[in-house]
Amino acid sequence: MKKKLFISFSIFVLAGVNSLMAQSLCFVPTLTYNAGPVPRGMISNDFNNDGKIDIAVSNCGGNTISVLLGSGTGTFGPVSNYTVGWGPDNLFATDLNNDGNKDIITANQGPNNTAVLLGSSSGTFSLLGYFATGTYPFSVSSGDYNGDGNNDVAVANGTSNDVSILMGNGTGSLAAAINYTTGLQPTFVVSGKLNADVYDDIVVSNSNSNNVCVLLGSSSGSMIPNGSYTLGNGPYSLLIDDLNADGNLDIAVAIITPTHKVAVLLGTGTGSFNPPVSYTVNNNPQSVISADFNNDGKKDLISANGTTSISIMLGTGTGSFAPAFSYMNNAGQQITTGDYNGDSRPDIAYKFQTGNQISAELNCIGLGIEEKEGFANFSIFPNPTTSFIEINTERNSFVKVSDLLGKIVLEKEVAEGVNKLDVSILPSGIYYLQLPESNNFKNVKFIKE
């Protein structure tokens, strides 16, 4: 009997692999990284324009953001921290000064403002300044709400029950906030073109009103209310994406308690939405992402639940989703997605349920890594490694080391017993060591630090 092989390493264990494989989807963990105290929001983007996806994290307890530049192999460089003000809860990447580099904006709870950090081609950031919002800003987004070619900023304010719109002038600076009433305790805001005009619009989730509301952009920059949609208790974070490939943006909302669901509202292209359809997930879903995770051409959803698990809903292509299946890992409340190793498959990254650590898991759908029963005594050590790995096998063989794209990067004959393989020349990254058995291979994944 053949089965896929995934070996866990570092300080955590990938569980639930069998259920993932049954759904034609799999992820394998990578290294862990220390962010600042109390990491909250996470985003993925290319901050240094090198074609490799990076990660940024808002650290609510450290008053900083952490930026990790990607290597393109699934690993990340050293963490760089930037002070942004007291209590940054969420963050967003956009280009506010039209220089082609991604800037970062944060929602700072303590001083009731948003911080603007201007990006550079090197992936470093400089603080431009702070701009006042409503009270207890919780989430931040960006779009061109008045169609002038400059990106603007929207901030959901949790206790003033409104959303602040700050118009951009193309220099990175923002105009004074204009506040628009939402529902009670708005927790999240997202931006996108919801109708046929040229202006970006926003959707806000209102945790205590149990709904989402829509505000449409206009040439004057004023936001026009366009209805609300009732959901279950506690809608939290949300996203907009075209989930049924009809050219219209749809909504997915993580609903925390007591129903523990993800609700999907399909867009009509007019700024309105169809009634929500809900999918049960594990307890306390607090963030949701979308991408084609199983490479079938259809958008899927993943929620990060506050119970060290993620729930996966595979899309049908029509805007409906298969029942969620979950597996346990170290995921906490926040999750993000990007192609971290350049294989054109969406990977995931998340903050741990406890502590200040974050990690990524690489999408291994379609890699075709199989294990045939046998080689019971085969093992490698240490894993991860910096220079050598010891290969303990019960027969003479010829081993190959390949990268995640399947390219052979190292070959060596090994004898029965313990052999030492020098991998110090390999760049840091994730590799597979292959041993042949007849016409099949046993593949063991290892990390070169």
Side-chain angles (χ1 to χ4, degrees):
M1 176 181 178
K2 294 184 179 181
K3 59 182 181 180
K4 291 201 174 184
L5 172 69
F6 303 105
I7 294 182
S8 60
F9 48 88
S10 190
I11 63 170
F12 54 90
V13 178
L14 175 63
V17 174
N18 288 337
S19 63
L20 284 179
M21 291 190 297
Q23 301 289 343
S24 301
L25 181 62
C26 57
F27 293 99
V28 291
T30 62
L31 299 175
T32 61
Y33 303 86
N34 288 318
V38 194
R40 287 283 181 85
M42 294 184 67
I43 56 175
S44 300
N45 215 304
D46 181 4
F47 296 123
N48 57 350
N49 294 322
D50 65 350
K52 303 167 185 175
I53 299 299
D54 315 307
I55 291 175
V57 185
S58 57
N59 305 307
C60 192
N63 306 327
T64 60
I65 64 168
S66 298
V67 176
L68 299 87
L69 298 181
S71 67
T73 65
T75 60
F76 297 86
V79 176
S80 298
N81 294 317
Y82 301 88
T83 299
V84 296
W86 182 29
D89 205 303
N90 275 290
L91 72 171
F92 193 83
T94 185
D95 184 4
L96 291 177
N97 59 349
N98 297 324
D99 66 350
N101 301 313
K102 285 295 187 291
D103 311 310
I104 292 179
I105 49 180
T106 66
N108 298 332
Q109 298 174 356
N112 299 322
N113 64 28
T114 180
V116 174
L117 294 91
L118 297 182
S120 68
S121 59
S122 64
T124 59
F125 292 85
S126 59
L127 179 66
L128 175 68
Y130 302 97
F131 302 87
T133 63
T135 57
Y136 203 88
F138 191 85
S139 172
V140 62
S141 184
S142 180
D144 184 3
Y145 307 126
N146 61 353
D148 66 351
N150 300 316
N151 282 323
D152 314 307
V153 173
V155 183
N157 304 305
T159 59
S160 55
N161 300 321
D162 54 26
V163 60
S164 297
I165 302 297
L166 301 90
M167 289 296 170
N169 60 14
T171 68
S173 184
L174 302 173
I178 300 175
N179 297 326
Y180 296 86
T181 300
T182 60
L184 300 179
Q185 195 177 334
T187 54
F188 222 83
V189 58
V190 292
S191 305
K193 289 182 172 59
L194 303 179
N195 55 10
D197 62 24
V198 297
Y199 316 111
D200 281 325
D201 315 303
I202 62 173
V203 182
V204 181
S205 58
N206 301 303
S207 183
N208 282 356
S209 295
N210 303 324
N211 64 14
V212 296
C213 62
V214 177
L215 292 92
L216 301 180
S218 68
S219 59
S220 66
S222 60
M223 307 303 291
I224 303 169
N226 198 52
S228 62
Y229 300 85
T230 300
L231 304 169
N233 290 348
Y236 198 67
S237 70
L238 73 158
L239 63 82
I240 52 176
D241 194 1
D242 184 2
L243 300 176
N244 58 351
D246 66 351
N248 302 321
L249 289 177
D250 312 306
I251 302 173
V253 190
I255 303 173
I256 301 180
T257 56
T259 54
H260 314 300
K261 295 181 182 294
V262 169
V264 174
L265 300 87
L266 298 181
T268 65
T270 64
S272 62
F273 293 85
N274 288 298
V277 176
S278 295
Y279 300 85
T280 300
V281 297
N282 267 13
N283 288 352
N284 299 319
Q286 297 190 32
S287 61
V288 60
I289 54 175
S290 62
D292 179 13
F293 293 107
N294 62 344
N295 200 32
D296 66 351
K298 303 165 186 176
K299 289 291 178 67
D300 312 305
L301 297 173
I302 295 181
S303 68
N305 313 312
T307 52
T308 61
S309 72
I310 64 173
S311 295
I312 301 170
M313 293 144 278
L314 297 180
T316 65
T318 65
S320 64
F321 296 83
F325 61 99
S326 302
Y327 81 92
M328 304 299 292
N329 56 13
N330 285 299
Q333 299 93 339
Q334 293 294 328
I335 191 169
T336 183
T337 184
D339 180 9
Y340 304 128
N341 60 344
D343 64 355
S344 300
R345 302 177 181 92
D347 310 307
I348 60 175
Y350 51 79
K351 67 174 289 292
F352 279 24
Q353 174 69 9
T354 58
N356 303 326
Q357 291 181 310
I358 65 171
S359 187
E361 293 190 11
L362 300 182
N363 191 329
C364 51
I365 185 71
L367 285 180
I369 302 165
E370 294 185 335
E371 176 190 15
K372 185 176 181 180
E373 299 295 341
F375 281 122
N377 295 325
F378 169 75
S379 62
I380 64 174
F381 176 85
N383 188 4
T385 183
T386 57
S387 55
F388 291 89
I389 55 175
E390 290 186 356
I391 305 169
N392 187 3
T393 180
E394 58 185 15
R395 67 186 71 180
N396 297 338
S397 190
F398 190 82
V399 300
K400 298 180 180 181
V401 175
S402 64
D403 61 20
L404 284 175
L405 298 180
K407 179 182 178 181
I408 303 299
V409 295
L410 196 62
E411 297 178 297
K412 184 180 179 179
E413 288 188 60
V414 294
E416 177 184 350
V418 177
N419 301 261
K420 184 173 284 189
L421 180 65
D422 184 0
V423 295
S424 61
I425 62 173
L426 298 178
S428 297
I430 299 171
Y431 298 91
Y432 286 94
L433 187 141
Q434 304 174 344
L435 276 86
E437 179 183 334
S438 299
N439 294 323
N440 298 289
F441 286 91
K442 177 169 182 176
N443 296 270
V444 177
K445 179 171 61 64
F446 70 93
I447 288 181
K448 165 61 169 54
E449 293 182 328

PDB file of all heavy atoms in Angstrom, residues 50-65:
ATOM      1  N   ASP A  50      11.368  41.678  -4.907  1.00  0.00           N
ATOM      2  CA  ASP A  50      12.282  40.677  -5.459  1.00  0.00           C
ATOM      3  C   ASP A  50      11.546  39.468  -6.016  1.00  0.00           C
ATOM      4  O   ASP A  50      12.167  38.474  -6.377  1.00  0.00           O
ATOM      5  CB  ASP A  50      13.299  40.244  -4.406  1.00  0.00           C
ATOM      6  CG  ASP A  50      12.660  39.521  -3.220  1.00  0.00           C
ATOM      7  OD1 ASP A  50      11.417  39.510  -3.122  1.00  0.00           O
ATOM      8  OD2 ASP A  50      13.417  38.990  -2.384  1.00  0.00           O
ATOM      9  N   GLY A  51      10.220  39.549  -6.059  1.00  0.00           N
ATOM     10  CA  GLY A  51       9.433  38.452  -6.578  1.00  0.00           C
ATOM     11  C   GLY A  51       9.188  37.339  -5.583  1.00  0.00           C
ATOM     12  O   GLY A  51       8.594  36.315  -5.931  1.00  0.00           O
ATOM     13  N   LYS A  52       9.606  37.519  -4.342  1.00  0.00           N
ATOM     14  CA  LYS A  52       9.433  36.524  -3.289  1.00  0.00           C
ATOM     15  C   LYS A  52       8.510  37.089  -2.214  1.00  0.00           C
ATOM     16  O   LYS A  52       8.631  38.262  -1.837  1.00  0.00           O
ATOM     17  CB  LYS A  52      10.785  36.135  -2.694  1.00  0.00           C
ATOM     18  CG  LYS A  52      11.766  35.612  -3.741  1.00  0.00           C
ATOM     19  CD  LYS A  52      13.179  35.525  -3.208  1.00  0.00           C
ATOM     20  CE  LYS A  52      14.146  35.108  -4.306  1.00  0.00           C
ATOM     21  NZ  LYS A  52      15.556  35.123  -3.841  1.00  0.00           N
ATOM     22  N   ILE A  53       7.617  36.247  -1.719  1.00  0.00           N
ATOM     23  CA  ILE A  53       6.601  36.721  -0.788  1.00  0.00           C
ATOM     24  C   ILE A  53       7.170  36.807   0.627  1.00  0.00           C
ATOM     25  O   ILE A  53       7.840  35.893   1.111  1.00  0.00           O
ATOM     26  CB  ILE A  53       5.366  35.808  -0.816  1.00  0.00           C
ATOM     27  CG1 ILE A  53       4.773  35.808  -2.219  1.00  0.00           C
ATOM     28  CG2 ILE A  53       4.324  36.283   0.192  1.00  0.00           C
ATOM     29  CD1 ILE A  53       4.316  37.153  -2.714  1.00  0.00           C
ATOM     30  N   ASP A  54       6.888  37.927   1.287  1.00  0.00           N
ATOM     31  CA  ASP A  54       7.341  38.208   2.630  1.00  0.00           C
ATOM     32  C   ASP A  54       6.138  38.226   3.579  1.00  0.00           C
ATOM     33  O   ASP A  54       4.987  38.143   3.150  1.00  0.00           O
ATOM     34  CB  ASP A  54       8.054  39.563   2.668  1.00  0.00           C
ATOM     35  CG  ASP A  54       9.034  39.735   1.518  1.00  0.00           C
ATOM     36  OD1 ASP A  54       9.888  38.846   1.344  1.00  0.00           O
ATOM     37  OD2 ASP A  54       8.924  40.730   0.774  1.00  0.00           O
ATOM     38  N   ILE A  55       6.403  38.350   4.869  1.00  0.00           N
ATOM     39  CA  ILE A  55       5.349  38.364   5.887  1.00  0.00           C
ATOM     40  C   ILE A  55       5.568  39.552   6.806  1.00  0.00           C
ATOM     41  O   ILE A  55       6.712  39.899   7.136  1.00  0.00           O
ATOM     42  CB  ILE A  55       5.356  37.054   6.704  1.00  0.00           C
ATOM     43  CG1 ILE A  55       4.917  35.881   5.834  1.00  0.00           C
ATOM     44  CG2 ILE A  55       4.446  37.154   7.929  1.00  0.00           C
ATOM     45  CD1 ILE A  55       5.013  34.531   6.524  1.00  0.00           C
ATOM     46  N   ALA A  56       4.470  40.183   7.235  1.00  0.00           N
ATOM     47  CA  ALA A  56       4.520  41.222   8.256  1.00  0.00           C
ATOM     48  C   ALA A  56       3.486  40.895   9.331  1.00  0.00           C
ATOM     49  O   ALA A  56       2.409  40.368   9.031  1.00  0.00           O
ATOM     50  CB  ALA A  56       4.255  42.600   7.667  1.00  0.00           C
ATOM     51  N   VAL A  57       3.835  41.197  10.575  1.00  0.00           N
ATOM     52  CA  VAL A  57       3.016  40.857  11.735  1.00  0.00           C
ATOM     53  C   VAL A  57       2.891  42.096  12.616  1.00  0.00           C
ATOM     54  O   VAL A  57       3.880  42.789  12.860  1.00  0.00           O
ATOM     55  CB  VAL A  57       3.642  39.716  12.557  1.00  0.00           C
ATOM     56  CG1 VAL A  57       2.720  39.280  13.688  1.00  0.00           C
ATOM     57  CG2 VAL A  57       3.998  38.533  11.667  1.00  0.00           C
ATOM     58  N   SER A  58       1.685  42.390  13.102  1.00  0.00           N
ATOM     59  CA  SER A  58       1.497  43.460  14.081  1.00  0.00           C
ATOM     60  C   SER A  58       1.564  42.867  15.480  1.00  0.00           C
ATOM     61  O   SER A  58       0.910  41.870  15.776  1.00  0.00           O
ATOM     62  CB  SER A  58       0.163  44.175  13.864  1.00  0.00           C
ATOM     63  OG  SER A  58      -0.921  43.265  13.928  1.00  0.00           O
ATOM     64  N   ASN A  59       2.380  43.483  16.332  1.00  0.00           N
ATOM     65  CA  ASN A  59       2.607  42.989  17.688  1.00  0.00           C
ATOM     66  C   ASN A  59       1.922  43.918  18.685  1.00  0.00           C
ATOM     67  O   ASN A  59       2.463  44.959  19.054  1.00  0.00           O
ATOM     68  CB  ASN A  59       4.106  42.909  17.970  1.00  0.00           C
ATOM     69  CG  ASN A  59       4.841  42.067  16.944  1.00  0.00           C
ATOM     70  OD1 ASN A  59       4.479  40.926  16.693  1.00  0.00           O
ATOM     71  ND2 ASN A  59       5.868  42.632  16.329  1.00  0.00           N
ATOM     72  N   CYS A  60       0.723  43.519  19.107  1.00  0.00           N
ATOM     73  CA  CYS A  60      -0.106  44.389  19.928  1.00  0.00           C
ATOM     74  C   CYS A  60       0.545  44.685  21.277  1.00  0.00           C
ATOM     75  O   CYS A  60       0.391  45.778  21.820  1.00  0.00           O
ATOM     76  CB  CYS A  60      -1.477  43.745  20.130  1.00  0.00           C
ATOM     77  SG  CYS A  60      -2.718  44.837  20.846  1.00  0.00           S
ATOM     78  N   GLY A  61       1.278  43.715  21.838  1.00  0.00           N
ATOM     79  CA  GLY A  61       1.900  43.915  23.132  1.00  0.00           C
ATOM     80  C   GLY A  61       3.265  44.561  23.072  1.00  0.00           C
ATOM     81  O   GLY A  61       3.819  44.947  24.098  1.00  0.00           O
ATOM     82  N   GLY A  62       3.831  44.693  21.888  1.00  0.00           N
ATOM     83  CA  GLY A  62       5.163  45.258  21.749  1.00  0.00           C
ATOM     84  C   GLY A  62       5.189  46.605  21.064  1.00  0.00           C
ATOM     85  O   GLY A  62       6.253  47.212  20.921  1.00  0.00           O
ATOM     86  N   ASN A  63       3.999  47.068  20.579  1.00  0.00           N
ATOM     87  CA  ASN A  63       3.897  48.360  19.897  1.00  0.00           C
ATOM     88  C   ASN A  63       4.784  48.415  18.659  1.00  0.00           C
ATOM     89  O   ASN A  63       5.343  49.462  18.319  1.00  0.00           O
ATOM     90  CB  ASN A  63       4.246  49.507  20.845  1.00  0.00           C
ATOM     91  CG  ASN A  63       3.423  49.470  22.120  1.00  0.00           C
ATOM     92  OD1 ASN A  63       2.271  49.057  22.098  1.00  0.00           O
ATOM     93  ND2 ASN A  63       4.017  49.890  23.235  1.00  0.00           N
ATOM     94  N   THR A  64       4.916  47.262  18.001  1.00  0.00           N
ATOM     95  CA  THR A  64       5.776  47.167  16.832  1.00  0.00           C
ATOM     96  C   THR A  64       5.102  46.334  15.751  1.00  0.00           C
ATOM     97  O   THR A  64       4.078  45.682  15.984  1.00  0.00           O
ATOM     98  CB  THR A  64       7.114  46.482  17.181  1.00  0.00           C
ATOM     99  OG1 THR A  64       6.850  45.151  17.664  1.00  0.00           O
ATOM    100  CG2 THR A  64       7.890  47.268  18.217  1.00  0.00           C
ATOM    101  N   ILE A  65       5.703  46.346  14.568  1.00  0.00           N
ATOM    102  CA  ILE A  65       5.424  45.328  13.559  1.00  0.00           C
ATOM    103  C   ILE A  65       6.718  44.584  13.290  1.00  0.00           C
ATOM    104  O   ILE A  65       7.819  45.133  13.436  1.00  0.00           O
ATOM    105  CB  ILE A  65       4.863  45.912  12.254  1.00  0.00           C
ATOM    106  CG1 ILE A  65       5.883  46.832  11.572  1.00  0.00           C
ATOM    107  CG2 ILE A  65       3.546  46.634  12.499  1.00  0.00           C
ATOM    108  CD1 ILE A  65       5.509  47.221  10.159  1.00  0.00           C
TER     109      ILE A  65
END
